[in-house]
């Protein structure tokens, strides 16, 4: 399928690894001119080189922390200066720290809101005006299955992502006639560094082999396996494409059947 986005300018945030990287790879393979960012400069630059070498298309790397307003503004200025206004925006950020109600200090709440909710709001504010003016744009948010089914021990993530979903859905319908779509993808469990390091920590704490922990995670998924990052990225690329032109305001799980609700 031709995704009809050859030559489009795409910004994918938090994309030196994991789901962000896989999304940038798909967009680059589809012929987009891709900008990626992360906090660790050497890693994001290496990733940009690797993606570009595989796709044959330009990929630019930027250093930015999505929890900082000044970094987001600087990132958008730099991307505009080097590539132009993003026509595709994939919003991603590292998740807030794990914890439950009893062990989460109140000071952590605004930090989680900045990282997970306000980064999406700020990026949308930065990119939407040019998209509306052009009459075409795609915004895709990488969220989590937790907005359908809050996950134990991820209080901050559950809270902030629910807020981002409310923002996404409201903006999507307010601007639906403009040619700009706004959607969210909800990963279940995909084998990224984040999932692997959480499993490694559990393996060390419980004195069990890593394979046991990963197999246990997979056993709770109806497909009996953990997803690959590219299985989430394929949906990101479709929602970012010209082919998804009548889809907006949606939140779609990619989870091997893990979500147990009806809708
Ligand atoms: P990952 O493999 O750890 O990759 C995270 C990427 O984001 C890295 O490139 C990291 O680079 C960058 N990053 C982290 N914090 C950042 C910040 N403040 N500003 C800019 N870049 C930042 O993680 P992942 O598994 O792909 O997860 C991505 C998002 O999806 C997270 O919010 C996670 O909670 C969510 N999610 C993941 C899964 C899953 O199964 N993997 C499931 C549900 C939700 P630097 O560290 O250099 O900045």
């Amino acid at each position: 399928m031709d995704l009809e986005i050859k030559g489009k300018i795409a910004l994918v945030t938090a994309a030196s690894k994991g789901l962000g990287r896989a999304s940038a790879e798909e967009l680059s393979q589809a012929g987009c001119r891709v900008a990626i960012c992360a906090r660790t400069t050497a890693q994001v630059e290496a990733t940009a080189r690797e993606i570009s070498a595989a796709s044959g298309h330009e990929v630019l790397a930027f250093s930015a922390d999505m929890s900082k307003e000044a970094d987001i503004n600087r990132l958008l200025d730099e991307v505009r200066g080097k590539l132009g206004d993003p026509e595709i925006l994939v919003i991603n950020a590292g998740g807030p720290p794990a914890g439950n109600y009893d062990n989460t200090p109140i000071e952590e709440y605004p930090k989680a809101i900045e990282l997970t909710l306000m980064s999406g709001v700020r990026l949308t504010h930065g990119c939407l005006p040019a998209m509306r003016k052009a009459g075409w744009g795609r915004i895709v948010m990488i969220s989590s299955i937790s907005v359908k089914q809050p996950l134990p021990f991820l209080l901050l993530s559950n809270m902030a992502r629910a807020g981002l979903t409310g923002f996404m859905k409201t903006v999507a319908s307010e601007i639906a006639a403009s040619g700009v779509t706004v959607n969210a993808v909800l990963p279940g469990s995909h084998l990224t560094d984040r999932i692997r390091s959480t499993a490694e920590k559990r393996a060390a704490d419980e004195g069990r082999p890593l394979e046991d922990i990963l197999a246990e995670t997979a056993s709770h998924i109806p497909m009996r396996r953990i997803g690959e990052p590219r299985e989430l990225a394929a949906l990101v690329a479709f929602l970012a494409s010209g082919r998804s032109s009548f889809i907006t305001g949606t939140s779609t799980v990619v989870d091997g059947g893990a979500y147990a609700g009806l809708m």
Side-chain angles (χ1 to χ4, degrees):
M1 185 194 298
D2 178 6
L3 293 179
E4 301 171 357
I5 47 175
K6 222 164 261 157
K8 296 267 187 211
I9 299 166
L11 168 61
V12 186
T13 62
S16 65
K17 296 181 188 172
L19 304 176
R21 175 184 172 137
S23 302
E25 284 172 343
E26 289 288 338
L27 294 174
S28 188
Q29 290 291 345
C32 292
R33 295 153 68 206
V34 178
I36 60 173
C37 80
R39 292 166 303 177
T40 314
T41 306
Q43 176 69 60
V44 73
E45 286 178 347
T47 298
R49 282 194 297 274
E50 287 164 17
I51 298 175
S52 176
S55 70
H57 297 287
E58 179 182 28
V59 181
L60 297 184
F62 299 87
S63 305
D65 183 338
M66 290 303 96
S67 67
K68 296 186 176 149
E69 180 181 6
D71 276 27
I72 292 175
N73 293 338
R74 182 179 41 77
L75 168 72
L76 293 174
D77 284 348
E78 288 175 359
V79 171
R80 278 191 207 102
K82 292 206 165 143
L83 285 175
D85 287 309
E87 298 162 283
I88 294 168
L89 169 66
V90 179
I91 295 172
N92 186 37
N100 58 20
Y101 173 74
D102 283 331
N103 67 17
T104 302
I106 200 150
E107 298 74 30
E108 292 299 319
Y109 285 72
K111 291 186 207 161
I113 289 170
E114 273 301 316
L115 173 66
T116 303
L117 169 56
M118 285 311 297
S119 62
V121 174
R122 293 188 207 288
L123 286 161
T124 302
H125 269 262
C127 294
L128 193 47
M131 292 179 180
R132 289 173 99 175
K133 202 166 161 207
W136 195 96
R138 295 286 182 269
I139 299 177
V140 184
M141 303 182 176
I142 299 182
S143 180
S144 168
I145 192 176
S146 68
V147 302
K148 289 211 166 238
Q149 185 174 284
L151 297 172
F153 218 64
L154 286 176
L155 170 67
L156 292 172
S157 172
N158 293 338
M159 174 198 69
R161 290 187 201 283
L164 187 61
T165 306
F167 173 76
M168 181 279 295
K169 185 71 184 164
T170 309
V171 174
S173 58
E174 285 180 7
I175 63 149
S178 70
V180 182
T181 66
V182 192
N183 291 286
V185 294
L186 313 182
S189 209
H190 297 258
L191 197 53
T192 61
D193 279 9
R194 177 183 165 88
I195 296 297
R196 183 174 287 278
S197 62
T198 308
E200 278 167 357
K201 185 173 180 309
R202 236 188 95 196
D205 288 351
E206 296 174 18
R208 295 164 59 195
L210 174 64
E211 290 64 34
D212 267 20
I213 305 288
L214 293 174
E216 194 180 297
T217 304
S219 74
H220 298 300
I221 299 171
M223 284 192 184
R224 300 286 180 262
R225 66 180 180 85
I226 299 175
E228 297 291 331
R230 66 187 180 85
E231 293 178 301
L232 189 278
L235 179 61
V236 172
F238 179 72
L239 291 171
S241 77
R243 303 302 298 272
S244 63
S245 44
F246 204 51
I247 302 174
T248 198
T250 65
S251 289
T252 306
V253 289
V254 181
D255 66 349
Y259 172 60
L262 282 179
M263 315 232 305

